Amino acid sequence: MEFEHFTLKPLLIIMAIIFLQQNHLLVVCLDMNCKFPAIFNFGDSNSDTGGLSAAFGQAPPPNGQTFFHSPHGRFSDGRLLIDLIAERLGLPYLSAFLDSIGSNFNHGANFATAGSTIRPQNTTISQSGYSPFDLNVQLAQYSDFLKRSQIIRKREGFFQKLLPEEDYFSRALYTFDIGQNDLTAGYKLNLSTEQVKAYVPDVLGQFSNVIEQVYGLGGRSFWIHNTGPVGCLPYIMDRFLVTAAEIDKYGCSSPYNEVAEYFNLRLKETLVKLRNELPLAAITYVDLYSVKYSLISQAKKLGKLMFNEIIIIITGFENPFEVCCGHGGKYNYNRFIKCGTKSVVNGTEIVLAKSCSDPSVRISWDGTHFTEAANKWIFDQIVDGSFSYPRIPLKFACNRLIG
Ligand SMILES: *[C@@H]1O[C@H](CO)[C@@H](O)[C@H](O)[C@H]1NC(C)=O
Ligand SMILES: *[C@@H]1O[C@H](CO)[C@@H](O)[C@H](O)[C@H]1NC(C)=O
Ligand SMILES: *[C@@H]1O[C@H](CO)[C@@H](O)[C@H](O)[C@H]1NC(C)=O
């Protein structure tokens, strides 16, 4: 039976599947809506809701200004995709595992930190900017959380309200958005595109190992974002010089996108293999690359109002490479004067890298991360499963459609 092109209406909860089996007609009714009670997220800054801030100091204002009205541990003016996912599943925003202040893990935990990679890096955060909380560390933290939360929960009282119920771990949605920094790490070591490609299998081997271990600990539903078009991000275009021939027709840098596409191709293959190896796992690959690339390449044409899958074209976004919160340079981006950087001029403190006046018409918040407006647009494209493989909407991602 072919499910891949089966269009699932988001509101359809009951789906009838008809199997023809040795002349017997079997009608099976499945409740497709997963009702995920929790989310456990692993990743980098694309889904960090306060991890790096808890460990190394808060993301400065104007981060958070649009939605939270103050810094909220995120590198954006507002909500990230993981926040929009939580909202759509009717769950609270995820607390960062590392954040000991005001956190509530009743409906999940976020192990992501900005600057995280899949592979451990051989440098410190002060040398290279990469987070020490790589995916292996995030897995260790998750494993510890799983065991200890159940011990602590037995103390009763308010701990019951702060920690997940035991069965949440097998019923939860496990989300992953990581890999972008593994690719850029090689370039920062002056490796060539060929050399970066050569280590991609090792990166994905380690990724695969983590999925297997989460599965071994009881995780069943996996929602995995592929990596975005890093060659379209101002922080890459500013840092690594590319020749005119390497700039594509939309203004992005081809070699960096090519390596991201290569990573994604191999990631997709890795997940096909994992699906065969893990009989009870529902693994959804989400092609964020295509969504982000179409956002950037068609920025000006795209409207921001979505109505019943019809895009109503209104003002659209402005120049996708013009950074909202930054300072100077070709893209309003300078890696030494990042969003929120302050300076003292004649005894008075001023913010050198401020927010633009209207982040809602910008795509790039700070040269590396997307604005809330861009994140919302991206979320609207992926939520119904249009960019998923297998083609399954977010709310149904516990169903294993391809066996
Ligand atoms: C770090 O160093 C070890 C030992 O030399 C090596 O095996 C590993 O691949 C290195 N990691 C990265 C990300 O380069
Ligand atoms: C990479 O090359 C640049 C420019 O030649 C140099 O300044 C930098 O030290 C090199 N980085 C590494 C890690 O070798
Ligand atoms: C700082 O003060 C000096 C002397 O009053 C003045 O010439 C200069 O323009 C001031 N700089 C700024 C950025 O205001």
Side-chain angles (χ1 to χ4, degrees):
M1 180 171 272
E2 176 70 17
F3 281 109
E4 269 182 71
H5 304 290
F6 201 96
T7 312
L8 290 165
K9 279 251 162 27
L11 291 175
L12 185 75
I13 295 170
I14 307 294
M15 183 177 133
I17 299 175
I18 300 166
F19 291 104
L20 270 173
Q21 222 176 12
Q22 295 165 349
N23 300 329
H24 294 290
L25 187 67
L26 253 132
V27 179
V28 184
C29 284
L30 294 176
D31 186 352
M32 299 282 291
N33 192 342
C34 304
K35 300 184 183 78
F36 295 114
I39 301 171
F40 296 102
N41 182 65
F42 301 79
D44 55 27
S45 57
N46 288 318
S47 62
D48 181 358
T49 56
L52 197 81
S53 287
F56 292 99
Q58 295 297 313
N63 283 296
Q65 67 168 21
T66 300
F67 186 78
F68 301 103
H69 307 300
S70 63
H72 226 254
R74 290 151 178 83
F75 293 91
S76 178
D77 60 316
R79 287 164 290 178
L80 310 180
L81 286 177
I82 190 66
D83 295 315
L84 302 169
I85 287 173
E87 265 180 27
R88 188 58 61 96
L89 296 179
L91 298 172
Y93 300 132
L94 291 184
S95 291
F97 169 79
L98 290 166
D99 196 355
S100 48
I101 301 170
S103 285
N104 186 330
F105 303 110
N106 192 209
H107 294 283
N110 192 355
F111 302 93
T113 69
S116 286
T117 48
I118 293 170
R119 294 199 303 177
Q121 299 300 306
N122 293 321
T123 60
T124 65
I125 190 166
S126 58
Q127 289 168 313
S128 63
Y130 292 110
S131 165
F133 306 104
D134 59 64
L135 190 58
N136 292 290
V137 177
Q138 294 181 26
L139 174 70
Q141 292 174 334
Y142 164 72
S143 162
D144 197 47
F145 179 81
L146 171 80
K147 293 183 195 91
R148 288 183 53 239
S149 62
Q150 296 314 300
I151 296 168
I152 304 294
R153 218 170 173 273
K154 294 205 174 78
R155 289 187 194 161
E156 299 183 348
F158 80 109
F159 289 112
Q160 302 235 326
K161 292 201 182 87
L162 292 178
L163 296 166
E165 290 177 32
E166 195 174 357
D167 71 330
Y168 284 12
F169 290 96
S170 58
R171 294 168 50 212
L173 182 65
Y174 289 81
T175 50
F176 291 79
D177 192 327
I178 193 160
Q180 180 175 319
N181 294 324
D182 287 272
L183 303 181
T184 62
Y187 287 112
K188 284 196 187 170
L189 294 170
N190 294 337
L191 300 186
S192 67
T193 294
E194 285 316 306
Q195 288 171 310
V196 172
K197 277 185 177 176
Y199 70 64
V200 164
D202 183 41
V203 173
L204 288 171
Q206 298 200 25
F207 181 76
S208 185
N209 183 36
V210 168
I211 301 288
E212 283 167 3
Q213 294 202 50
V214 171
Y215 180 85
L217 290 165
R220 292 294 175 260
S221 306
F222 298 86
W223 180 265
I224 299 167
H225 292 168
N226 72 3
T227 201
V230 70
C232 301
L233 301 182
Y235 88 107
I236 292 296
M237 301 203 298
D238 175 75
R239 171 123 187 207
F240 302 104
L241 287 176
V242 282
T243 63
E246 292 171 337
I247 300 289
D248 73 13
K249 61 180 169 181
Y250 300 113
C252 301
S253 153
S254 306
Y256 298 97
N257 281 349
E258 191 195 308
V259 92
E261 285 184 50
Y262 177 73
F263 176 90
N264 289 338
L265 185 73
R266 301 302 297 258
L267 171 64
K268 203 171 172 183
E269 288 170 8
T270 301
L271 299 187
V272 168
K273 235 174 108 205
L274 279 171
R275 253 180 233 119
N276 293 332
E277 282 167 22
L278 311 175
L280 302 176
I283 300 177
T284 309
Y285 167 91
V286 187
D287 184 12
L288 275 196
Y289 182 99
S290 296
V291 178
K292 288 178 173 175
Y293 191 73
S294 67
L295 172 63
I296 289 161
S297 60
Q298 307 170 50
K300 287 170 193 168
K301 278 191 271 166
L302 295 170
K304 288 182 295 164
L305 266 182
M306 296 279 297
F307 184 72
N308 269 354
E309 298 175 5
I310 298 163
I311 300 171
I312 297 171
I313 296 170
I314 46 166
T315 58
F317 289 97
E318 290 172 358
N319 180 352
F321 306 114
E322 179 80 10
V323 172
C324 173
C325 183
H327 182 86
K330 189 170 165 194
Y331 309 106
N332 190 36
Y333 174 83
N334 178 331
R335 68 184 161 113
F336 301 108
I337 309 174
K338 286 197 176 145
C339 180
T341 298
K342 289 176 185 164
S343 174
V344 176
V345 177
N346 286 352
T348 314
E349 193 179 68
I350 60 152
V351 180
L352 273 182
K354 288 189 278 212
S355 170
C356 57
S357 60
D358 186 6
S360 76
V361 295
R362 297 299 179 88
I363 291 173
S364 183
W365 166 243
D366 59 5
T368 308
H369 308 105
F370 290 80
T371 57
E372 172 173 288
N375 285 331
K376 279 162 91 172
W377 191 89
I378 295 163
F379 178 75
D380 285 340
Q381 313 304 307
I382 64 168
V383 68
D384 69 350
S386 300
F387 290 87
S388 299
Y389 175 86
R391 229 179 135 104
I392 193 160
L394 177 69
K395 283 191 174 178
F396 302 151
C398 62
N399 297 286
R400 185 181 161 99
L401 288 194
I402 288 183

